């Protein structure tokens, strides 16, 4: 009798591990156990068949297979779920940005004088934020706020917003309400909660004394 070396045993084990590694993620725990049991039984059968020809397959190696298979399968499944969640999150973020860009476009359509203004404000704000080493979350908040900072102008009458002449004090008072209007418009949008304060205060004087 001659014990088979690692050169024969390891390829067999890797083959079995490969089969289970590809099949287990597609089955539940119950059927995964059945697959492992079948493969283990196959290894035992191979041990008896080779024994008749004078070779011994080490029976200890397969005993390590089930825990290795289940651990590796769980890790693979967790990694796959993390990747899928990341992709879904990116899609959600893209959806958010598409939504706020559409809202910003509605302002451009209403006030041709400021066309592209929100995009330029966003770009300059992000340039400054990067130099200040702001976090990813802060950059995202700033980006949303930059695009939407004038969304409150939707509530300003066209007769005032597109008036080519000088505005009266009363009309200026209405224009100066657009930060508050913007904050109110976005009040019920959860992902804009942090940006809402920037919408509300984007015309505030540096010393906090008002518009």
């Amino acid at each position: 009798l001659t014990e088979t070396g690692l050169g024969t045993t390891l390829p067999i084990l890797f083959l079995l591990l490969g089969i289970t590694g590809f099949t287990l993620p597609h089955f539940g725990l119950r059927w995964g156990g059945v697959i492992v049991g079948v493969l283990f039984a196959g290894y035992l059968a191979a041990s008896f068949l080779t024994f008749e020809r004078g070779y011994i397959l080490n029976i200890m190696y397969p005993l390590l297979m089930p825990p290795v298979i289940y651990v590796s399968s769980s890790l693979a499944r967790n990694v796959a779920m993390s990747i899928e969640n990341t992709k879904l999150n990116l899609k959600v973020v893209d959806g958010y940005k598409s939504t706020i860009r559409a809202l910003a476009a509605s302002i451009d359509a209403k006030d041709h004088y400021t066309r592209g203004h929100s995009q330029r404000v966003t770009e300059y704000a992000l340039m400054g934020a990067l130099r200040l080493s702001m976090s990813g979350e802060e950059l995202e908040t700033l980006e949303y706020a930059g695009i939407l900072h004038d969304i409150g102008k939707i509530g300003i009458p066209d007769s005032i917003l597109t008036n080519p002449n000088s505005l009266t004090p009363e009309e200026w008072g209405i224009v100066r309400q657009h930060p508050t209007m913007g904050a109110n418009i976005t009040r019920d949008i959860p992902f804009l909660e942090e940006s809402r304060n920037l919408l509300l205060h984007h015309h505030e004087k540096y010393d906090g004394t008002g518009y």
Side-chain angles (χ1 to χ4, degrees), residues 20-194:
T20 53
F22 280 108
T23 55
L24 278 184
H26 302 286
F27 297 97
L29 185 63
R30 180 184 303 174
W31 288 107
V34 171
I35 292 172
V36 172
V38 169
L39 292 175
F40 184 68
Y43 189 90
L44 289 179
S47 300
F48 282 105
L49 292 175
T50 54
F51 182 81
E52 294 294 331
R53 299 184 180 183
Y55 293 97
I56 301 175
L57 290 176
N58 195 320
I59 200 65
M60 294 303 296
Y61 293 141
L63 296 179
L64 300 176
M65 284 179 58
V68 171
I69 289 171
Y70 276 103
V71 169
S72 60
S73 178
S74 298
L75 289 175
R77 182 170 296 179
N78 289 335
V79 170
M81 289 180 61
S82 298
I83 294 174
E84 186 65 24
N85 288 337
T86 300
K87 290 180 179 179
L88 290 174
N89 185 58
L90 290 175
K91 288 183 179 179
V92 170
V93 171
D94 287 342
Y96 287 165
K97 292 183 179 180
S98 297
T99 301
I100 63 175
R101 287 194 182 100
L103 290 173
S106 66
I107 290 297
D108 285 345
K110 186 178 178 69
D111 185 4
H112 297 288
Y113 179 77
T114 60
R115 184 179 300 277
H117 166 72
S118 296
Q119 184 61 37
R120 292 191 296 274
V121 167
T122 302
E123 292 173 0
Y124 283 123
L126 291 178
M127 287 167 62
L130 289 172
R131 292 298 298 271
L132 294 172
S133 301
M134 288 187 173
S135 67
E137 290 183 357
E138 289 173 323
L139 290 174
E140 189 174 77
T141 297
L142 197 60
E143 182 179 7
Y144 292 161
I147 296 174
L148 291 176
H149 74 279
D150 275 342
I151 190 66
K153 287 184 178 179
I154 289 179
I156 306 299
D158 291 345
S159 59
I160 296 177
L161 197 62
T162 60
N163 187 354
N165 303 313
S166 298
L167 299 181
T168 66
E170 291 76 15
E171 289 173 332
W172 269 118
I174 295 175
V175 170
R176 288 175 177 174
Q177 294 175 15
H178 79 269
T180 303
M181 292 180 181
N184 290 335
I185 289 172
T186 58
R187 186 181 304 279
D188 296 325
I189 305 177
F191 74 91
L192 293 177
E193 182 176 355
E194 295 296 327

